[in-house]
Amino acid sequence: MSSQARGPDREQQPVAARPDAIRAHNLGLVLSEIHRSGALTRAELTARLGVSRSTIGALVADLAHLGLVFEHVPSGGERAGRPSHVVGPRPGGPYAVAVDLDINQITTAAVGIGGQVLARHVAPVDPHPGTPAAIARLIVDALPALRSAVGRDSRPVGVAVSVPGTVNRRDGFVEFAPNMGWRHVEFGSILGDALPANLRLTLANDANLAVLAEHIRGAARDTGDVIYLMGRIGVGAGLFAGGRAVRGFDGHAGEVGHTILNPAGPKCHCGRRGCVETYIGEKALMNLAGRRGEPTPKKVADIFAAANGGEDKAAAAVRVVAESLGRTVANLVNMLNPELVVLGGSLAGVFDFARADVERALSRHAVTRLHTELRVGQLGDDAPLLGAAELAFAPLLASPSGVMEAV
Amino acid sequence: MSSQARGPDREQQPVAARPDAIRAHNLGLVLSEIHRSGALTRAELTARLGVSRSTIGALVADLAHLGLVFEHVPSGGERAGRPSHVVGPRPGGPYAVAVDLDINQITTAAVGIGGQVLARHVAPVDPHPGTPAAIARLIVDALPALRSAVGRDSRPVGVAVSVPGTVNRRDGFVEFAPNMGWRHVEFGSILGDALPANLRLTLANDANLAVLAEHIRGAARDTGDVIYLMGRIGVGAGLFAGGRAVRGFDGHAGEVGHTILNPAGPKCHCGRRGCVETYIGEKALMNLAGRRGEPTPKKVADIFAAANGGEDKAAAAVRVVAESLGRTVANLVNMLNPELVVLGGSLAGVFDFARADVERALSRHAVTRLHTELRVGQLGDDAPLLGAAELAFAPLLASPSGVMEAV
């Protein structure tokens, strides 16, 4: 993931823990719990964070004062003894601007603390494929509509963009987004220049964001060793190992789509032969199913519908992709020994229809598959968008007071 | 890596930091610096750890009292002002028992704080391959010789074994060591039962240990995203991402040797076709070079010598392996985007002879190779052994007082 550090936390240096730093940190812990779990009672917060009831009371009061949380006693919930205050995200509180850049359309959303999509704006990319400047313009043009949808009093805390390609985590360059036709594009700067100056911008790869979202609030909760394998036109992976994101030295880890499954395989647009993408990407599925033209979400969904409806050609196509998917996952399991592989995008559809084929190929090709489980993502196609929101919220969750006093 | 927790730190639970805990932690920091860097002056320790001169003085005194370090003023080093005390590992201090289990021979070594091999014992595996019990016996039988070589006053702090196969980090089972003929062998229990009861035993995969050693004191120092690719008869990888070891959910990460390079490739002993091992393992090199029999270190070294001496068949064989090595590394680079790939075992020889071929294949097959550098390991064939010593020393370095008071 790449950070164009322009916002309030830019100059933050590591400092020894002072009382202020400890308070800022503790505010972050409380807000993070609420962000992950939604509304919680004070008693739940006290138990989860292992601090005293009065400390929680003071921290919640601080967060309320910052406009981040809202406390109430649920009606009808009065029993004997003290009522338990419920603490949740404040309606009208700050929001993250999350952007999912797909080759057909740009989705821009306002996401609240707690991960709810508060407003969503979808713009088709036309003409296709979009230039970096045109796509930056689509994003910027979506902001006023989001702002009026969430209410004039809410403020954006940052912008994060999911990119279907490799993003250099240091400089915000999109190094390689073959299906967008981009190579070494300084999209971070282009979009940053077009955004209001006070908005912190970060960019990251779509699968890296999807695994982050599924790890925080989806199929991979409480799972430290996870691979999210996402099929769109391209195929990419987001990785967690030992509870931490694996991003690689430049932020390019997870380019599974261009690992080679068979050196004698089909020609890939990247110039090599037999890349994983040529076996399990959406174009491969379309070709096998005898569908013409470029893949779109609708055309891909139609193949799964046809397979489920009994069309032999569609069913056979999904099964062939399922076999290659099992082989691909086997290589990943041999390499990284994850506890869980989460399948997203078109690969979720493949797994739903032909689970047994995927599992059989995996078991045949993995050296030692002790525990690795396969699962479909819980967040569906919103996983990269929700992951982008997590990225945009990260500074706020780390230091609620620091960010809110600067917004 | 797997831990058979039987030693003094078995019952340690996380506790809130008390003064004692802080002192124990700080002792560990000082000892770790000396372990990594060798002898250091008090002034260097003060600067590296960012604490006061008097704190360093007190910690060094404690470590000396525990029998771990030795302090002296270098002769001839007296200049104006206060002499700078040099703090180094104490001769006769505790040692780690490190074991490198290879299919032809078992190396058992006493390694001191600072990483020096103090004594080494090599036993051929005969009859070949060894049963788990026979190999455990070879290890146990080597201990008295090591003890008398290092001196009767020195004490072992633990035993760690490098295994050429996948090790379950939870239960100490060797799941799959195909070249040993082992599958699901409870080697941790077998060896543990044969060892003196007070010796903590840990097992880990050879490549995982090699990357650990190269990361601490070899080619990968100060490098957070590293892959160590080791060629022996089998091929395995040890992984670091973001400065931390990637071991996988069961400790099986890095089974690169059985990722598939070409599904139409040669039959592998694991039952599949076209595994990486069949292209870049020592048997592949031997076959390509027209050498008969099972690979041994000498036979493999002879091929490189012949290639360097101008034998066309040997040179061509190394070049063919080099091309496949480049493809293998490309898949790893696409997947994990390391800053550095360290080559060990026979792959170091391949790279030394045919570097240009490896680099060319890597550049052709990696999607975006921004920074990944290839390098030969600095620790040579001792990397797994030295990594095992690191594993055995880890509890001592984490809490010098806790371990020494229990030994």
Side-chain angles (χ1 to χ4, degrees), chain B residues 162-177:
Chain B
S162 164
V163 178
T166 54
V167 178
N168 188 319
R169 60 193 290 190
R170 275 178 290 275
D171 57 21
F173 271 69
V174 175
E175 281 305 325
F176 186 51

Side-chain angles (χ1 to χ4, degrees), chain B residues 11 20 23 27 66 96 117-118 124 130 147 168 171 174 188-189 226 252 260 309 341 344 372 389 399:
Chain B
E11 300 298 326
D20 272 359
R23 172 177 160 274
L27 287 175
L66 289 168
V117 175
L118 305 171
R147 184 104 191 230
N168 188 319
D171 57 21
V174 175
S189 303
V226 188
H252 291 182
I260 289 168
V341 177
T372 305
S399 175

Side-chain angles (χ1 to χ4, degrees), chain A residues 166 168 170 175-176 183 225 239 241-242 244 246-256 258-263 272 327 331-332 334-339 364-368 370-371, chain B residues 166 168 170 175-176 183 225 239 241-242 244 246-256 258-263 272 327 331-332 334-339 364-368 370-371:
Chain A
T166 54
N168 188 319
R170 275 178 290 277
E175 281 305 327
F176 187 51
R183 206 180 247 281
D225 294 281
L239 315 175
R244 296 205 320 179
V246 173
R247 295 189 293 238
F249 183 64
D250 303 296
H252 291 181
E255 274 301 298
V256 177
H258 297 282
T259 59
I260 289 168
L261 209 55
N262 184 346
R272 285 167 287 264
R327 286 174 179 262
N331 279 343
L332 296 176
N334 289 341
M335 188 66 207
L336 290 169
N337 179 216
E339 182 179 6
R364 197 177 322 126
H365 294 285
V367 181
T368 51
L370 283 186
H371 295 104
Chain B
T166 54
N168 188 319
R170 275 178 290 275
E175 281 305 325
F176 186 51
R183 205 180 247 283
D225 294 280
L239 315 174
R244 296 206 319 180
V246 173
R247 296 189 293 241
F249 183 64
D250 303 297
H252 291 182
E255 274 301 298
V256 177
H258 297 281
T259 59
I260 289 168
L261 208 55
N262 184 347
R272 285 167 286 265
R327 287 175 178 262
N331 280 343
L332 296 176
N334 289 341
M335 189 63 207
L336 290 170
N337 179 215
E339 182 180 5
R364 197 175 325 122
H365 294 285
V367 181
T368 51
L370 283 186
H371 296 102

Side-chain angles (χ1 to χ4, degrees), chain B residues 111-403:
Chain B
V111 179
I113 293 171
Q116 295 82 3
V117 175
L118 305 171
R120 181 191 297 259
H121 182 276
V122 179
V125 177
D126 185 22
H128 184 276
T131 65
I135 284 175
R137 181 49 47 202
L138 289 174
I139 294 168
V140 172
D141 287 349
L143 299 183
L146 293 185
R147 184 104 191 230
S148 51
V150 296
R152 286 266 137 212
D153 292 342
S154 296
R155 298 208 168 266
V157 292
V159 179
V161 183
S162 164
V163 178
T166 54
V167 178
N168 188 319
R169 60 193 290 190
R170 275 178 290 275
D171 57 21
F173 271 69
V174 175
E175 281 305 325
F176 186 51
N179 295 304
M180 312 274 301
W182 294 5
R183 205 180 247 283
H184 199 61
V185 168
E186 48 177 347
F187 189 65
S189 303
I190 294 168
L191 178 57
D193 290 345
L195 284 173
N198 65 332
L199 273 179
R200 185 175 184 278
L201 169 64
T202 43
L203 307 180
N205 168 267
D206 53 3
N208 285 3
L209 291 175
V211 75
L212 179 64
E214 293 282 359
H215 188 257
I216 290 178
R217 58 180 80 255
R221 241 171 308 187
D222 305 319
T223 310
D225 294 280
V226 188
I227 299 174
Y228 184 102
L229 192 60
M230 175 147 73
R232 288 179 168 183
I233 293 180
V235 173
L239 315 174
F240 263 71
R244 296 206 319 180
V246 173
R247 296 189 293 241
F249 183 64
D250 303 297
H252 291 182
E255 274 301 298
V256 177
H258 297 281
T259 59
I260 289 168
L261 208 55
N262 184 347
K267 188 97 180 156
C268 182
H269 62 86
C270 75
R272 285 167 286 265
R273 281 194 171 278
C275 293
V276 159
E277 195 168 308
T278 66
Y279 286 92
I280 67 172
E282 289 180 347
K283 281 185 187 167
L285 179 64
M286 296 265 299
N287 288 341
L288 286 163
R291 265 62 171 177
R292 287 165 193 285
E294 290 298 300
T296 63
K298 166 143 189 5
K299 287 187 198 166
V300 170
D302 285 349
I303 295 175
F304 294 122
N308 280 307
E311 188 201 304
D312 287 347
K313 183 148 193 167
V318 177
R319 289 229 168 76
V320 170
V321 172
E323 155 77 19
S324 297
L325 173 58
R327 287 175 178 262
T328 302
V329 173
N331 280 343
L332 296 176
V333 167
N334 289 341
M335 189 63 207
L336 290 170
N337 179 215
E339 182 180 5
L340 176 65
V341 177
V342 178
L343 299 168
S346 58
L347 300 178
V350 172
F351 188 65
D352 278 336
F353 181 77
R355 178 177 187 140
D357 301 79
V358 179
E359 295 274 6
R360 197 178 315 116
L362 167 57
S363 291
R364 197 175 325 122
H365 294 285
V367 181
T368 51
R369 178 191 176 186
L370 283 186
H371 296 102
T372 305
E373 191 192 334
L374 301 188
R375 209 180 284 170
V376 163
Q378 279 179 12
L379 305 175
D381 293 339
D382 271 352
L385 191 76
L386 293 174
E390 296 303 330
L391 200 57
F393 271 133
L396 178 70
L397 297 177
S399 175
S401 51
V403 171

Side-chain angles (χ1 to χ4, degrees), chain B residues 81-104:
Chain B
R82 282 193 292 187
S84 196
H85 291 65
V86 172
V87 188
R90 183 175 76 83
Y95 63 92
V97 176
V99 183
D100 182 12
L101 206 159
D102 195 7
I103 70 165
N104 297 302

